[in-house]
Amino acid sequence: MNQTTTREAVRGSGVASRNITKAAVIGSGVMGSGIAAHLANAGIPCLLLDIVPKDLTPEEEKAGLTLDHPKVRNRLAAKAVAALPKSSTAPLYRADFASRITPGNMEDHLSQLKEADWIIEVVTERLEIKKSILKTIEGVRKDGAIVSTNTSGISVNAMAEECGEEFRRHFLGTHFFNPPRHMKLLEIIPGFDTDPDITQFMVDFCTKRLGKGVVLAKDTPNFISNRIGTYGLLVTLQEMVRNSYSVEEVDAATGPVLGRPKSATFRTLDLVGIDTFVHVAKNVYDNVQDGHEKDVFTVPDVLNELVSRGWIGEKGGQGFYKKIKGDQGSTILSLNLSTMEYNPSAKISSASIEAAKAVKGAKRKIKAFLGTKDRYSELAWNVLKQVLVYSAEKLGEIADSIQEIDNAMKWGFNWELGPFETWDLIGLPESVQRMEAEGLTVPAWVKDWIAAGNKSFYQEKDGQVFHYLKGEYKAVDAEPERISLSALKAQNRVIRSNTGANLIDIGDDVALLEFTSPNNAIGADILVMIQQSVEEVRANYRGLVLANEGRNFCVGANLMLMLMEAQSGDWDEVDDIIRLFQGSMMKLKRLEKPVVAAPHRMTLGGGVEACLPADRIVFSAETYFGLVETGVGLIPAGGGCKELALMASSRYPDPGSDPQPEINRMFEMVAMAKTSTSGHEAVQMYGRGADTVVMNQDYRIYEAKQAVLELDRAGYVPPQPGKARVVGRDGRAVLQMGAIDMRRGGYISDHDLLIAKKLAHILTGGDVPAGTIVSEEHLLDLEREAFLSLLGEVKTQQRMQHMLAKGKPLRN
């Protein structure tokens, strides 16, 4: 039976008005508890059920519990919930979100499933068990409730074949990738009988509410991402054996130089678990008929041998790599597949690898790597050509759209480019000609597409992207919530530009300031553009958004520039830069139009200071936000300390109240260089009442723009010059005494103590009595003085050099 899963096909007469206000997850293992945690992240109360244990644990016996006690009967789910805040994968945005999950068991709490709008089955990957659970769910669910299975490759239709029609209309696959919070990909797999409106609702809900990158897959073995990813790993192993490459050589040629993660091939297998990979490969082998495909998906003997030895990767302590801890640190060993012995891992270098390292950006790296002929680029090409052809062969079978396949590989395997995007990059007609000359059979539809005069699968016109779909170019679906800065720049919407930033018209008379410097580090060029942007917006726009499409929002100020100026002794230049930074932030804060910041991922030091003057911050859920300057021996001097002092004062406006506890908290936050683990935690840490969090990072610019328009429509009034009631000398003594105790206890160094004392001096308002009202300018002067003083310290310069060289703090 042909199954159509294009986005057009799932759009029925319109998605019925529905919402998911409560969910239930069946199965509290790693995936089940992780999915429940992410539902909790999205503010959805969730019931988490598992089986009733058949035996008591020693701890339960000691406590005198019986098998009938609720603590025993709910043990599996309750234990999973309790472990969430402690998990190394941090499944929760905030630890207290675990309270949104209610643990229970499948006997005592089964009837509560009728309260759920969405029930997710996440039990073991065995068809008969899943079928049994779905029949149980069918007996208790309310009419209209959506039911989905989380499976990595078992047939969705086979699971539900014994269930009724109404159930099947509301049933589909939702394949989350592990860990559910951090992996963007969610494959949605409709069954033959799934109501198209239900499918469309789930696509919208999971994209917007859960923040997922959703692809529509067909009900085929391993769906999209695992089908192509597994194929790619297996042909890599075959190529490795055929031409005698080592584990390190393969990883060197199939990692970032090819637009793939640093984990490349074998580190990825170790992370996933070799036993898990074998299971996934066998699932395809058992469920495909084509002889050549069966040959590829035949599990190599070496993988079976590793599983039999228990060498299954990180969870087994060793796999293709093994870490040995010694007195001088850890040593990484790699497995020799010929001898099955571990040897010290070798560093691999070659002309092609060095050519890729010499350029920035995935596209340029791939072209440089493949364009430099040697043993390693040959390995990559021999693997890549097979993956591209296989992806083309599977179009129509695993998905109807090349965009779904590309997105699945980018979001599920963290490839920088999907297969068809990669094919365009290396030259579609030229590469097909080479593939055929080397004996590959390229699918007829690809050759027909080229014969029709097309040279790529994607093309862009006037900022609109088109992609191949069933023999013609079709416009990629435009979502109003997804504002693309690259598309706007292609439409000549740049208002102003310099080497470090762009000011862009994003429509509705709203401008956006985009940082473009390396790592979006703030230097003089960005600061100048901030000042120019303020003038432009004041004259011609309704407001300003601060956002960008870089990997991270901003990693801070330009540390190298500061270090160079300090080492050359040009203190007037350093003073000018700090004044420019502070002045730029004050101009943002005093702008007569609303300013909204939309940070994402790493937003550190100066990046935080660029956000704090904004009227509102729209955090991406994955925002790691913190004033981290103490890690390099400095203090925040772009207004960060000043803003914290103002916040503490505003929360205790009554002269009889005591802001000291809040100042203590902020002092600890900055002194310890604390960084939020999520946007939700950033809101909690900084406590700015109007700030919000958007689950889908791709929507943050749209939401920030809407916030600007909302503030403008409400009759925006800029904040008045700030005044802070400070805790003064007495408060400073409290902070310094705490720092001195830390030093006596050996928890911090002498230099840490010096930094702490200077930080305390600023946050408490300087050498003034408690209760003194000070201006923003007074606090900025304190910041600048402390920053310059610390920058002149040898130990601070050592910390800065270490951070630049090693990427991690030095404690000296």
Side-chain angles (χ1 to χ4, degrees):
M1 182 174 180
N2 184 40
Q3 184 186 14
T4 302
T5 55
T6 60
R7 297 196 178 235
E8 290 74 16
V10 301
R11 291 186 181 123
S13 58
V15 177
S17 177
R18 64 165 62 236
N19 193 14
I20 293 173
T21 59
K22 188 171 183 179
V25 174
I26 312 299
S28 66
V30 172
M31 279 303 299
S33 62
I35 292 170
H38 199 59
L39 292 170
N41 287 335
I44 302 167
C46 184
L47 179 67
L48 180 62
L49 303 184
D50 213 314
I51 60 173
V52 175
K54 292 183 170 56
D55 300 295
L56 294 172
T57 66
E59 292 78 13
E60 289 167 343
E61 289 181 345
K62 186 176 181 181
L65 302 180
T66 67
L67 288 173
D68 293 330
H69 196 284
K71 284 188 176 180
V72 176
R73 295 177 69 81
N74 298 338
R75 180 213 306 153
L76 296 178
K79 187 176 180 181
V81 173
L84 289 173
K86 306 168 190 174
S87 171
S88 61
T89 60
L92 294 165
Y93 289 146
R94 277 177 27 189
D96 60 323
F97 286 179
S99 64
R100 296 171 177 171
I101 307 172
T102 302
N105 67 75
M106 284 290 287
E107 294 179 15
D108 302 330
H109 307 105
L110 189 64
S111 63
Q112 293 182 25
L113 293 181
K114 66 177 179 292
E115 301 171 11
D117 304 301
W118 180 16
I119 303 167
I120 311 170
E121 169 272 305
V122 199
V123 301
T124 188
E125 287 281 87
R126 290 174 57 186
L127 177 60
E128 292 306 315
I129 293 176
K130 286 181 177 286
K131 289 174 73 171
S132 173
I133 291 291
L134 293 179
K135 284 297 291 181
T136 300
I137 293 171
E138 183 181 25
V140 293
R141 66 178 274 274
K142 65 184 177 184
D143 287 348
I146 296 169
V147 180
S148 70
T149 175
N150 185 78
T151 174
S152 59
I154 298 177
S155 171
V156 170
N157 288 294
M159 282 185 216
E161 62 187 2
E162 296 174 9
C163 296
E165 180 185 353
E166 199 275 340
F167 181 94
R168 296 197 308 274
R169 283 195 293 110
H170 294 84
F171 177 69
L172 70 171
T174 49
H175 179 207
F176 288 83
F177 275 60
N178 191 35
R181 166 188 167 178
H182 297 284
M183 291 299 292
K184 183 172 182 177
L185 180 61
L186 172 62
E187 292 177 321
I188 288 185
I189 310 100
F192 294 138
D193 300 317
T194 307
D195 185 335
D197 283 349
I198 295 298
T199 304
Q200 185 59 47
F201 169 79
M202 290 299 289
V203 168
D204 292 342
F205 181 86
C206 294
T207 300
K208 295 173 183 177
R209 189 72 183 274
L210 299 187
K212 290 296 170 190
V214 175
V215 299
L216 281 173
K218 294 192 176 187
D219 188 16
T220 55
N222 290 14
F223 313 128
I224 302 174
S225 187
N226 279 343
R227 182 74 168 269
I228 293 175
T230 304
Y231 177 90
L233 287 166
L234 288 168
V235 296
T236 301
L237 268 168
Q238 292 173 359
E239 187 65 23
M240 173 189 186
V241 172
R242 188 179 299 119
N243 290 294
S244 303
Y245 290 97
S246 69
V247 165
E248 303 100 304
E249 287 178 316
V250 171
D251 276 357
T254 58
V257 296
L258 202 58
R260 309 286 169 78
K262 290 181 180 179
S263 56
T265 298
F266 294 113
R267 289 188 191 280
T268 296
L269 281 170
D270 279 355
L271 288 168
V272 169
I274 297 167
D275 55 338
T276 301
F277 177 79
V278 166
H279 170 78
V280 171
K282 283 181 175 178
N283 187 57
V284 179
Y285 178 87
D286 292 340
N287 289 283
V288 296
Q289 305 304 317
D290 179 79
H292 172 70
E293 196 167 11
K294 273 189 174 293
D295 288 343
V296 173
F297 282 93
T298 300
V299 177
D301 291 341
V302 66
L303 295 186
N304 288 322
E305 174 66 17
L306 288 172
V307 171
S308 70
R309 294 186 182 208
W311 298 0
I312 56 176
E314 284 204 352
K315 62 186 178 183
Q318 63 193 89
F320 288 101
Y321 291 95
K322 182 178 181 180
K323 182 184 288 188
I324 302 295
K325 294 183 178 179
D327 295 337
Q328 304 302 314
S330 297
T331 301
I332 303 297
L333 307 179
S334 62
L335 184 65
N336 183 320
L337 300 189
S338 299
T339 65
M340 296 301 284
E341 295 178 349
Y342 287 96
N343 302 303
S345 184
K347 184 176 177 61
I348 306 300
S349 182
S350 76
S352 62
I353 292 171
E354 293 307 312
K357 288 180 178 179
V359 296
K360 294 188 180 296
K363 292 182 179 180
R364 295 179 66 196
K365 284 183 180 296
I366 295 169
K367 294 194 77 169
F369 177 56
L370 295 177
T372 307
K373 304 303 179 186
D374 63 15
R375 172 176 166 79
Y376 299 107
S377 60
E378 180 183 7
L379 164 64
W381 165 253
N382 287 338
V383 170
L384 178 63
K385 66 183 181 182
Q386 295 183 73
V387 172
L388 298 184
V389 168
Y390 186 73
S391 300
E393 290 173 348
K394 296 299 122 183
L395 182 66
E397 179 183 336
I398 63 176
D400 284 326
S401 160
I402 65 168
Q403 187 184 16
E404 306 288 350
I405 293 176
D406 278 347
N407 285 339
M409 299 316 298
K410 289 189 291 185
W411 298 337
F413 274 70
N414 293 319
W415 291 8
E416 294 280 354
L417 301 174
F420 296 98
E421 291 171 326
T422 303
W423 217 334
D424 281 356
L425 176 69
I426 64 176
L428 177 59
E430 302 87 345
S431 61
V432 166
Q433 186 177 20
R434 180 180 174 186
M435 290 172 184
E436 292 193 306
E438 292 174 357
L440 262 69
T441 301
V442 177
W445 73 264
V446 175
K447 294 192 287 185
D448 290 344
W449 181 246
I450 295 171
N454 300 295
K455 296 184 178 181
S456 64
F457 294 113
Y458 293 88
Q459 67 175 10
E460 188 172 334
K461 291 182 180 178
D462 300 323
Q464 173 67 59
V465 178
F466 297 81
H467 67 99
Y468 170 90
L469 184 65
K470 298 183 178 179
E472 62 182 6
Y473 279 120
K474 184 184 180 303
V476 171
D477 289 338
E479 295 178 80
E481 300 94 344
R482 199 183 297 263
I483 295 176
S484 168
L485 299 185
S486 58
L488 290 172
K489 286 185 280 191
Q491 297 167 18
N492 299 314
R493 300 279 284 275
V494 176
I495 305 162
R496 290 175 177 266
S497 181
N498 68 15
T499 56
N502 296 313
L503 184 66
I504 303 168
D505 183 341
I506 60 173
D508 296 314
D509 296 324
V510 177
L512 178 142
L513 179 60
E514 172 196 35
F515 299 168
T516 60
S517 62
N519 295 317
N520 291 333
I522 298 175
D525 46 6
I526 288 179
L527 297 174
V528 168
M529 183 57 71
I530 288 174
Q531 301 216 15
Q532 292 177 351
S533 298
V534 166
E535 298 305 318
E536 185 72 40
V537 170
R538 177 180 289 126
N540 299 309
Y541 290 86
R542 297 169 68 181
L544 179 66
V545 170
L546 304 178
N548 61 67
E549 293 177 329
R551 179 173 179 78
N552 300 297
F553 177 76
C554 177
V555 297
N558 188 327
L559 202 60
M560 176 64 78
L561 174 65
M562 288 293 180
L563 181 59
M564 290 173 59
E565 297 289 1
Q567 291 178 333
S568 66
D570 197 344
W571 296 108
D572 288 341
E573 182 67 23
V574 176
D575 186 65
D576 287 344
I577 293 171
I578 301 304
R579 288 180 185 274
L580 178 61
F581 200 134
Q582 292 180 339
S584 300
M585 299 305 108
M586 288 297 289
K587 282 183 178 291
L588 275 178
K589 187 170 183 177
R590 301 279 172 81
L591 178 60
E592 298 86 350
K593 306 291 180 69
V595 177
V596 177
H600 66 285
R601 296 187 61 82
M602 288 175 63
T603 304
L604 306 175
V608 172
E609 291 178 304
C611 293
L612 292 180
D615 300 288
R616 192 173 296 178
I617 303 176
V618 176
F619 291 98
S620 163
E622 296 296 344
T623 306
Y624 320 123
F625 196 81
L627 293 164
V628 296
E629 286 85 350
T630 59
V632 290
L634 297 167
I635 52 90
C641 295
K642 178 259 296 182
E643 287 297 320
L644 294 182
L646 290 172
M647 286 180 206
S649 177
S650 68
R651 290 166 193 165
Y652 295 87
D654 185 351
S657 61
D658 182 13
Q660 185 73 51
E662 184 67 359
I663 287 291
N664 294 350
R665 185 184 72 83
M666 291 176 168
F667 172 76
E668 180 183 355
M669 190 168 70
V670 180
M672 303 299 289
K674 289 186 177 179
T675 301
S676 74
T677 59
S678 68
H680 292 82
E681 192 172 67
V683 170
Q684 185 182 48
M685 285 170 62
Y686 286 82
R688 292 162 41 110
D691 295 343
T692 58
V693 180
V694 60
M695 289 289 285
N696 193 317
Q697 180 172 298
D698 296 336
Y699 293 170
R700 69 189 186 282
I701 296 175
Y702 171 84
E703 294 296 343
K705 176 184 172 182
Q706 297 310 304
V708 165
L709 295 173
E710 176 192 333
L711 289 166
D712 177 65
R713 285 191 296 266
Y716 177 75
V717 177
Q720 296 300 306
K723 299 284 186 180
R725 184 170 63 86
V726 297
V727 295
R729 302 183 196 99
D730 294 343
R732 182 180 66 199
V734 171
L735 298 182
Q736 290 185 350
M737 184 55 66
I740 290 169
D741 287 343
M742 292 282 285
R743 178 68 193 99
R744 288 172 177 164
Y747 298 106
I748 63 174
S749 68
D750 286 337
H751 196 53
D752 292 325
L753 179 59
L754 174 65
I755 298 165
K757 286 180 175 180
K758 290 187 179 293
L759 176 62
H761 185 69
I762 303 165
L763 290 176
T764 58
D767 193 18
V768 297
T772 301
I773 305 296
V774 301
S775 68
E776 291 185 79
E777 287 73 20
H778 171 80
L779 293 167
L780 289 174
D781 288 342
L782 295 178
E783 282 187 355
R784 193 169 59 255
E785 177 186 327
F787 186 93
L788 289 166
S789 172
L790 287 169
L791 188 59
E793 295 281 341
V794 172
K795 288 188 176 181
T796 285
Q797 293 179 20
Q798 290 172 345
R799 290 190 180 192
M800 295 170 74
Q801 288 174 323
H802 191 272
M803 178 62 73
L804 289 167
K806 305 290 187 181
K808 55 185 179 182
L810 169 69
R811 302 309 299 268
N812 58 352

